[in-house]
Amino acid sequence: MKKSLGIITLFLAICIFTSIYGEGFLSGYNLMNLTQRTALFSILALGAGVVIVAGGIDLSIGSVVCLTGIMTPWLLVEHGWSPWSVIPLVLTMSAAIGLFHGLLITRLRLQPFLVTLCGLLLYRGIARWMTGDQSQGFQGGFEDVRSIALGRFEIPFLGDYRLPATVIPVLVIALLMGFCFSRTVWGRWLLATGRNESAARYSGVPTAWLTTGAYVVCSLLAGFGGMLFIFDTGSAQPSDFGNFYELYAIAAAVLGGCSLRGGEANVLGILVGTATLLVLRTAIILLGLGSQLEFAVIGGVLLLGIATDELVRRYSARRADRVSRVSH
Amino acid sequence: MPAASPDALAANTRAVLRVRDVGHRYDGVAALAGITLEVRSGEVLAIVGENGAGKSTLLKILSGVLEHSEGELETADASGAWSACRMQSVRDAARAGIALVHQELNLSENLDVAGCIFLGREPSRFGMLQLAAMHREAKHWLACVGLAIDPSTLCESLSIAQRQLIEIAKALSTEARVLILDEPTSSLSAHETARLLALLRTLRANGVAILFVSHHLDEVLALADRVVVLRDGKQTGELLRSACDRAKLEQLMVGREIVAAPPRPQRTDAAVRLRVRDLVSAHAKRQPVSLEVRAGEIVGLAGLVGAGRTEVLEAIAGITESRGYAMLDGKLLRGGAAHRVRSGVALVPEDRARNGLFLENSLAMNLSLAWIDQHRAAGLVRTSGECALVDRMISRMQVRPAAPHRRVRTLSGGNQQKSVIGRFLAISPKLLLLDEPTRGVDVGARAEIHAQIRQLADTGSAVLFASSELEEVLLLADRILVMHEGRIVGEFAARAATEIAIMQLATGGGCEAASMERASL
C-alpha cells in the first residue's frame, strides 16, 4: 500500500480534476465504462508486469491480443467450432507463444526486446493473412459465452452503475499474483532473477525456467485479454485491433511501480496505474482537449509520474539507510 | 607513538600536500575525524585500516570526489609556498597535481589504450582528434609503467594486471605529483604484484609522492616509508617504516589482538565426499582436472590469476557446462546450478557485486534466498522461520550493523562478503566451494569468515576454495593443490607447505610434470 501511495494520489488527483471540470465524469454510465476498460487493460498490464519484474520486456502483447481476438470469432463463426474447443485452443496457443519467446530468450540468449518485437510483427501478420484482412465478429450470436465480458452485476443504491463481470477474473488474477510475489518461493525467485540474474543463478534459482515462465504468463494473459476484448466489442479489424496495447500495458506497469530494471513488483500499483491511464484518456475527451492530444498527454503524465517516483524513491531510500544506521 | 620527524626522512623528500584536522560527516555521523598528515614527494605513505575505518572517505576527499566538511587541505607549489585549497571536484584535484587510481578499474572497454589514457583530455585541434600525437604520448606513458603493448590495443582484450598499469599510466599522464592508489593489488597475482611494487619504487625514486592503501600488510611493510593507521574514522597511529611491524600494525588497526586459529586435526582417514575425475570446463579449453576432498577437510586451490581455479569451481557447481564428472558422496552431480544447490553444493562466487549480491535488496532477502527453497511448505515461504533464520545468520556471521532491512549496498565490503557466505552457510551445504573467500576484506572480518568456514568443515562438510593470496591458502587450508595453466601441478599438506614452494609450482618452475612435457616436445 505504501509503495502505491504516489500512483494512488495521482489517480485521485486526475479523477477529482476531471469530475470538477469535465461534464459527466461521475455518471454511472461513464464509470461503468471506465471500470470495464480498466479491467480489460489490467489483464494485459498484469502480464506485462510479470515480464518486467523478471527483468524483461514484451512488445508483442498487442499483436497477441489481435491474433487471439480475431481467431476467436473466426473459429466460432466462420468455421463453426464449439466454444468449448475454441477457448482452450486459443489459450493454449497464447501460452505456446510465450513459451516460444521464453525459450528463444533463455536458451538461444536472444534479447527480449528483439524477440518480442519480431513477435509484434509476426502475430499481427498471421492474423491478417489468416482472415484475409476481413473484419471478424460474432454477428449477434454467442451471447452466453460473451457474457464473461458483457455481464453486469446490479449494485443497490448506485443508480445506473452496474459492476462489469470482467472485474472478477481481474481480481482473481491480481490476488493470485500478489500472493505469489509475497509468499511463494517462485515469487521470491522471480524478484531475485529480475534484480540480478547471475547472483540468483549462483544461489540455486532456476533462472531460465522462471524467465520462460514469466513470458508464458504474459502471453497467456494477453491471449485471455484478447478474448475478453473481442467478447466486449463484438467485432474487430485484424489491421488495427490491439494496436499499441503493449505500450499501454507496459506504461501502466511502470506507472504502477514496476521498474524496468526488474525485481520490483507492485500488483496494486499496476491496477491503479492502468486505471490512471484510462481515466486520463477519458479526461482528455471530457475536458474537450481534442483526441489528437491523447498520446501527447499520456506521454507527458507518464514522464512526470516516473520522474517523481524515482526522486521520491531515491529520497526515501536515503532516509531508510539513515534511520537504520542511527537505530543500530 | 613515534611521530615521523622530518629529519628522519631522506633528504630529497619535500612535503607537497598537508592535511590538517580533516573530517567528514555523512548525515551527521562522523565517518572521519581529526586526520592530520603530510604527503611528501619521493616517499610512499601507506594508509591502513579495516573496512569502514575511513580509508575510502579520506581518499575521496584527497581526490576531490568528496568535499571535506572539517579541517584544511594545503598544497605546496614548485617554489615551496603553501596555499590552502578547496577540492570540490576531481578537476580541482587534478589541478593540484593529485591523481587517484581507483580500486575498481574504470577503463572504457570499447576504447583503445591511447583512448583510455587520454579520455576526457584528448589532444585535439579544431575538435579533431590528433591521433598520432595521442598514440605517441601514450607510448611514452606506457613505457613509464613498463608495459610493452601497442597503444591501439583495445582495452577489453587486456588482463586485469595490464588494466591496472594503464590506470597508473593515465594518472601519470596528468603530470600528477601525488599518486593515490586504492587497493592496487587486490586483483593481481603475486608475480604481478611484485612488478607493480617495483614500478612504484621507481616512481618514488623519480620524486612522485605516493599514497598507498592496501589490506596486505606485507606489501605495506615492503613498500612504505611511513604508515598511517586508521580505525573507526580516527587516526590511531603514524609510524616510520623502521618502527613498525606486522603485529603492531594489526593491533593498531583492530584495536585487539587477532587470535590464531587452533590447528585442525588431519582428515586423512575420513570418507571422500567430493571426487572429481577428468573435469574439463567447456568455458576454457583446459587440461582435465582430478581431485578429491574428504569429509571435514578444507582444500585450497593455489595458483596465479588465470590458472583455471575459477573454471574448476564453476564446473563443479554446475555454473558452466563441463565434461568428465564430479561425484558427491558417491552420487554423480548432474544438471545446472539450481539442481546442484539442491543436492548440497554451494559456490560463493569471486565477484560478489556481480554474481553474489542483490545490492538494492535488504540484508534479510540476501541471507534467506537459498534457505527459503530448502524450507518451503507447498511452495510457500515460511515467513516466521525466515525471520528467525535471518537473525540467526546475522549474529552467526557477525554482520554489522545488525539491521535486517538495510540495503546491502550500504554495507562495507567485509559485511557484504559475510552476507553472501551467510546465504550459503544457511543451507548447511555438503560441499562448500569458495572463490576468493575474503577478497577486499579486512583482517578482522577475514578471521571471522575463516572461523565460520572451519566450523562448517567441523560438521563434516567438504570445503574447496581458491585464493590468489598465499597467506590465506596457508592459513585456511588443510591441504593445498597448486594449479598452473589449467592443471593441478602439485599437492601439499598445509603443514609442509611454504610460500616459496607453492610459488615455484604456480609459476611453472620446478614442476616435474611440466619439465617432462617440455622434454617430450
Side-chain angles (χ1 to χ4, degrees):
Chain A
M1 193 69 187
K2 213 170 132 195
K3 281 194 297 184
S4 319
L5 224 54
I7 181 68
I8 290 175
T9 314
L10 181 67
F11 172 70
L12 290 178
I14 295 173
C15 283
I16 291 169
F17 186 84
T18 318
S19 57
I20 293 172
Y21 295 101
E23 204 145 320
F25 179 75
L26 289 178
S27 75
Y29 175 76
N30 184 50
L31 290 182
M32 180 173 76
N33 205 14
L34 267 176
T35 318
Q36 170 79 341
R37 303 296 288 173
T38 300
L40 293 174
F41 275 102
S42 291
I43 295 175
L44 309 185
L46 288 169
V50 173
V51 163
I52 289 171
V53 166
I57 191 94
D58 191 342
L59 299 178
S60 72
I61 292 172
S63 294
V64 173
V65 165
C66 172
L67 183 62
T68 56
I70 293 296
M71 252 178 103
T72 306
W74 184 65
L75 289 175
L76 287 173
V77 178
E78 295 233 328
H79 294 266
W81 291 23
S82 108
W84 300 115
S85 49
V86 171
I87 294 176
L89 177 81
V90 168
L91 291 181
T92 312
M93 187 192 68
S94 326
I97 287 174
L99 185 66
F100 175 61
H101 292 165
L103 292 178
L104 284 176
I105 289 159
T106 57
R107 302 288 154 187
L108 268 188
R109 312 257 162 86
L110 301 184
Q111 287 176 358
F113 190 96
L114 295 179
V115 168
T116 56
L117 179 67
C118 295
L120 177 142
L121 303 169
L122 194 61
Y123 310 129
R124 182 170 301 278
I126 291 176
R128 294 179 65 170
W129 165 77
M130 224 167 51
T131 57
D133 223 1
Q134 294 303 304
S135 168
Q136 301 292 316
F138 296 104
Q139 296 162 356
F142 301 98
E143 294 284 329
D144 45 345
V145 186
R146 288 182 64 194
S147 66
I148 306 173
L150 292 176
R152 299 286 186 270
F153 298 108
E154 296 286 346
I155 294 181
F157 314 117
L158 279 185
D160 56 352
Y161 180 84
R162 285 168 303 143
L163 188 69
T166 38
V167 167
I168 296 171
V170 171
L171 287 182
V172 170
I173 294 168
L175 286 175
L176 208 64
M177 213 161 185
F179 182 75
C180 275
F181 279 129
S182 62
R183 290 298 312 276
T184 67
V185 173
W186 307 295
R188 292 284 191 87
W189 277 353
L190 197 67
L191 289 166
T193 304
R195 194 67 98 174
N196 184 344
E197 206 233 320
S198 172
R201 203 156 59 92
Y202 276 80
S203 308
V205 175
T207 51
W209 285 117
L210 280 156
T211 307
T212 310
Y215 283 95
V216 170
V217 169
C218 180
S219 292
L220 183 63
L221 288 180
F224 180 54
M227 223 151 61
L228 292 188
F229 268 109
I230 196 74
F231 287 155
D232 180 58
T233 56
S235 73
Q237 283 283 349
S239 55
D240 71 352
F241 186 56
N243 255 347
F244 291 125
Y245 280 16
E246 62 281 334
L247 297 186
Y248 277 104
I250 293 167
V254 172
L255 204 53
C258 300
S259 160
L260 280 181
R261 284 182 215 114
E264 266 170 77
N266 184 353
V267 174
L268 178 65
I270 295 176
L271 297 182
V272 183
T274 316
T276 308
L277 282 184
L278 291 160
V279 168
L280 207 56
R281 246 174 104 171
T282 316
I284 291 162
I285 296 160
L286 291 181
L287 296 173
L289 289 175
S291 58
Q292 299 94 326
L293 260 181
E294 182 190 326
F295 282 119
V297 170
I298 289 180
V301 168
L302 193 59
L303 207 54
L304 200 73
I306 298 167
T308 317
D309 189 53
E310 182 63 39
L311 292 177
V312 168
R313 196 178 323 198
R314 227 176 273 178
Y315 172 74
S316 59
R318 258 211 307 271
R319 242 182 69 138
D321 291 340
R322 190 153 58 212
V323 167
S324 66
R325 189 175 318 159
V326 171
S327 62
H328 292 274
Chain B
M1 212 68 54
S5 61
D7 50 21
L9 293 161
N12 63 346
T13 68
R14 191 170 67 80
V16 288
L17 173 69
R18 268 192 210 143
V19 176
R20 229 189 270 155
D21 264 333
V22 159
H24 189 79
R25 293 172 167 274
Y26 286 110
D27 303 323
V29 180
L32 204 64
I35 305 296
T36 299
L37 50 86
E38 209 173 62
V39 184
R40 311 176 133 261
S41 66
E43 187 198 55
V44 177
L45 172 63
I47 297 180
V48 297
E50 290 193 280
N51 286 335
K55 292 172 307 206
S56 305
T57 310
L58 178 58
L59 292 194
K60 281 183 189 162
I61 289 172
L62 293 181
S63 57
V65 176
L66 198 71
E67 203 184 338
H68 61 285
S69 40
E70 295 158 15
E72 280 161 36
L73 294 178
E74 288 178 333
T75 50
D77 61 20
S79 62
W82 288 94
S83 57
C85 68
R86 271 214 96 67
M87 277 188 235
Q88 294 172 315
S89 69
V90 180
R91 236 167 231 275
D92 288 346
R95 214 170 294 138
I98 300 172
L100 173 70
V101 177
H102 285 275
Q103 181 177 5
E104 269 86 40
L105 304 175
N106 299 322
L107 296 177
S108 311
E109 303 204 329
N110 54 341
L111 295 179
D112 65 7
V113 169
C116 281
I117 291 177
F118 290 102
L119 186 62
R121 307 172 288 118
E122 292 85 353
S124 65
R125 183 174 291 161
F126 310 119
M128 301 282 286
L129 284 179
Q130 295 186 296
L131 285 176
M134 205 160 111
H135 282 232
R136 201 168 50 238
E137 287 254 316
K139 213 168 239 167
H140 167 70
W141 295 114
L142 287 174
C144 283
V145 297
L147 258 187
I149 52 173
D150 186 27
S152 58
T153 318
L154 280 183
C155 283
E156 62 187 359
S157 63
L158 300 179
S159 73
I160 290 184
Q162 287 171 321
R163 289 179 197 201
Q164 185 80 60
L165 291 174
I166 286 175
E167 284 273 5
I168 294 172
K170 183 177 174 175
L172 291 177
S173 72
T174 63
E175 311 274 341
R177 294 178 302 156
V178 181
L179 191 60
I180 305 178
L181 299 119
D182 189 4
E183 300 274 356
T185 59
S186 63
S187 34
L188 302 188
S189 68
H191 181 63
E192 292 160 342
T193 300
R195 276 183 46 192
L196 178 68
L197 296 190
L199 168 66
L200 295 180
R201 286 195 189 98
T202 315
L203 293 174
R204 170 174 63 186
N206 292 342
V208 178
I210 296 173
L211 205 73
F212 179 76
V213 171
S214 177
H215 279 311
H216 300 277
L217 294 183
D218 306 339
E219 291 164 22
V220 169
L221 292 169
L223 185 68
D225 300 303
R226 267 186 311 144
V227 183
V228 167
V229 187
L230 301 183
R231 189 203 320 156
D232 299 330
K234 294 183 195 72
Q235 203 164 340
T236 54
E238 178 174 346
L239 305 166
L240 281 176
R241 168 66 188 91
S242 53
C244 64
D245 58 42
R246 204 184 168 84
K248 197 162 191 177
L249 287 180
E250 281 185 358
Q251 201 201 334
L252 285 172
M253 280 163 64
V254 186
R256 60 181 187 273
E257 289 229 25
I258 295 195
V259 189
R264 291 162 42 80
Q266 290 286 344
R267 301 274 177 170
T268 43
D269 50 344
V272 173
R273 289 208 90 161
L274 173 72
R275 194 186 295 273
V276 174
R277 283 281 170 278
D278 301 328
L279 193 74
V280 186
S281 164
H283 226 67
K285 302 277 174 281
R286 300 252 185 209
Q287 326 279 347
V289 166
S290 301
L291 58 87
E292 280 169 6
V293 184
R294 294 174 183 278
E297 195 182 29
I298 303 177
V299 175
L301 282 175
L304 304 179
V305 170
R309 293 165 302 164
T310 300
E311 286 83 353
V312 169
L313 295 181
E314 294 198 332
I316 297 174
I319 298 289
T320 48
E321 292 183 7
S322 57
R323 282 186 285 120
Y325 66 88
M327 291 203 310
L328 183 64
D329 295 334
K331 272 194 229 118
L332 199 59
L333 288 171
R334 292 171 193 282
H339 203 255
R340 296 194 188 192
V341 168
R342 285 194 166 181
S343 3
V345 180
L347 168 61
V348 177
E350 178 180 13
D351 186 341
R352 59 174 169 261
R354 185 181 299 181
N355 300 325
L357 291 167
F358 302 89
L359 287 168
E360 300 304 326
N361 286 85
S362 65
L363 174 60
M365 180 276 185
N366 274 277
L367 281 171
S368 71
L369 186 66
W371 180 89
I372 55 171
D373 181 42
Q374 217 182 48
H375 293 81
R376 69 192 195 181
L380 301 189
V381 177
R382 289 181 192 272
T383 30
S384 56
E386 186 189 4
C387 285
L389 168 96
V390 168
D391 289 341
R392 212 159 57 232
M393 288 319 294
I394 287 177
S395 67
R396 181 169 153 197
M397 298 305 299
Q398 304 177 47
V399 182
R400 285 171 290 257
H405 299 293
R406 194 158 156 164
R407 283 185 309 150
V408 167
R409 181 180 288 287
T410 65
L411 299 181
S412 72
N415 285 305
Q416 291 186 350
Q417 184 70 10
K418 284 178 184 176
S419 59
V420 180
I421 296 181
R423 178 191 308 155
F424 294 109
L425 288 181
I427 58 170
S428 314
K430 294 176 193 160
L431 169 64
L432 180 64
L433 307 165
L434 304 107
D435 199 356
E436 304 289 353
T438 61
R439 180 172 179 182
V441 166
D442 61 65
V443 191
R446 167 193 278 199
E448 286 160 5
I449 288 172
H450 284 183
Q452 288 303 322
I453 296 173
R454 285 196 194 95
Q455 200 180 319
L456 179 80
D458 289 340
T459 65
S461 297
V463 177
L464 178 63
F465 74 96
S467 177
S468 313
E469 295 169 32
L470 283 180
E471 190 194 331
E472 172 164 57
V473 175
L474 289 166
L475 209 59
L476 185 62
D478 302 328
R479 191 154 56 88
I480 298 163
L481 301 174
V482 186
M483 289 193 73
H484 175 63
E485 294 187 350
R487 64 164 72 203
I488 292 175
V489 292
E491 179 175 343
F492 294 97
R495 283 175 200 167
T498 62
E499 293 206 13
I500 296 167
I502 295 174
M503 260 341 277
Q504 237 170 12
L505 286 178
T507 50
C511 162
E512 277 180 31
S515 56
M516 270 164 62
E517 189 181 72
R518 240 173 269 133
S520 69
L521 280 174

